[in-house]
Amino acid sequence: MELMFICAPVLPSDSINQLGKTCPALKKASAKLYGARTWACNTSINSTDTSQKQIGIQTEAEKQVAVIKVCGNITCKKQGSILTRTEFQALLQQSSPNIRVESCGCFGRCGEGPNVNVIVGGYSRKITEGVRNLDTILECIQFLQTDSTKLPELDNRLVEAIRGHEKAKKEAESDQTKSAIESYNQVIDLLDQCIQSIQPPIAKEDILKSGVNELRARMLCNRA
C-alpha cells in the first residue's frame, strides 16, 4: 500500500519572518507548517513539549549517539546559529566520540532562534529557543545527561574562551576598541592552548578542521 502525505503550501522562512512585523499570529501558524514540512530533513521532533519522542534512528550503534541539531535556516542564521553551532562543536569536540553537532532544517519556530534540538538515544530531549550565549549553550548540554549517560567533561579553557568572546563583542559594540582587542587576544590565546594540548584519539589535523579552529578563525576576523 502506498502512502501519500500532502502538505499545504507554506511561505519560505524569510517571508515568514517578515510576516511577524505585521501579523505575529499568521507568522506563527505559517512557521509551524514550514517546520512540519522540513521534519524529514532535520529528523527531529517538532514538538512544543519536553516529553521524549522517538525519531528515525535505526541501528543499535546509532541509538548510543547523542546529536545536537542547530537550525541552519535563513532566519536562525541571521540570529547567529552558525556561531552557536561552532561553539557547540568547540566545547564538545573531545568530550565523546558519541556526540555529534549538526546543522538541520527548520523547527517551525522562526524568529525565536537560534533553535537547538538535543537528541539522546534516539529521543528528542528538548528543543530550546534563543540559544545565542554561553548560558543557553550550557543549558542545552545539560540535556545530554540521562539515566544511562553522563554529562561530557568540558574544557574550562573553551568555556572561558566563549565567555571572553561575549565580553569582547560587548566591548566592541560599545566602541571600547582597545579593551575589545585585548579581550579577543585572550580568547585566541585560550584557543591556541586547547589546540596545542590535543590528545589522542583525536588527531591534531582533525582539530584544525574542527569547531575549535573555526572559532579561532572567527576571533581573528572579529579582532581585525
Side-chain angles (χ1 to χ4, degrees):
M1 179 176 65
E2 182 178 355
L3 296 178
M4 179 178 295
F5 293 90
I6 301 175
C7 183
V10 294
L11 297 170
S13 58
D14 53 346
S15 299
I16 291 171
N17 194 41
Q18 291 297 320
L19 278 174
K21 298 179 181 179
T22 55
C23 184
L26 183 58
K27 171 193 169 182
K28 186 175 181 180
S30 189
K32 285 184 176 180
L33 282 173
Y34 186 84
R37 193 172 71 172
T38 58
W39 180 88
C41 174
N42 60 33
T43 60
S44 54
I45 300 300
N46 187 23
S47 172
T48 56
D49 60 37
T50 58
S51 61
Q52 294 184 344
K53 297 185 178 181
Q54 195 164 18
I55 63 172
I57 293 181
Q58 301 299 321
T59 69
E60 288 300 318
E62 287 177 318
K63 288 181 181 179
Q64 304 304 315
V65 173
V67 185
I68 292 180
K69 288 188 172 288
V70 183
C71 179
N73 220 313
I74 184 169
T75 306
C76 278
K77 278 184 178 179
K78 289 179 179 178
Q79 294 179 309
S81 69
I82 294 177
L83 177 60
T84 296
R85 185 198 68 209
T86 301
E87 290 176 339
F88 270 117
Q89 289 173 330
L91 282 170
L92 299 172
Q93 184 76 41
Q94 298 185 73
S95 300
S96 170
N98 290 331
I99 300 176
R100 299 200 312 263
V101 180
E102 302 175 350
S103 290
C104 67
C106 181
F107 293 119
R109 302 184 182 190
C110 302
E112 308 296 334
N115 300 317
V116 174
N117 191 13
V118 178
I119 300 166
V120 182
Y123 289 84
S124 174
R125 298 294 310 283
K126 172 76 172 178
I127 297 177
T128 304
E129 300 170 350
V131 184
R132 60 173 63 91
N133 56 43
L134 179 62
D135 290 339
T136 49
I137 286 172
L138 294 178
E139 178 186 332
C140 288
I141 290 175
Q142 291 294 316
F143 287 99
L144 291 171
Q145 184 174 26
T146 66
D147 292 338
S148 58
T149 60
K150 297 180 180 180
L151 283 175
E153 294 184 9
L154 304 181
D155 189 325
N156 287 331
R157 293 170 299 185
L158 289 171
V159 173
E160 289 307 311
I162 293 174
R163 197 181 301 279
H165 172 228
E166 293 176 2
K167 176 176 178 288
K169 186 177 179 181
K170 289 179 181 178
E171 290 169 342
E173 291 172 348
S174 302
D175 293 326
Q176 302 176 44
T177 306
K178 185 176 179 180
S179 296
I181 291 174
E182 290 176 356
S183 296
Y184 277 121
N185 285 336
Q186 292 172 6
V187 171
I188 292 167
D189 286 343
L190 286 169
L191 295 174
D192 283 340
Q193 291 174 30
C194 293
I195 291 174
Q196 291 167 7
S197 62
I198 296 304
Q199 299 294 327
I202 299 177
K204 185 167 289 188
E205 55 268 25
D206 292 333
I207 279 294
L208 295 177
K209 302 174 184 176
S210 73
V212 178
N213 198 61
E214 186 178 342
L215 187 59
R216 183 182 184 279
R218 281 176 169 271
M219 298 306 102
L220 288 170
C221 289
N222 290 344
R223 184 183 64 179

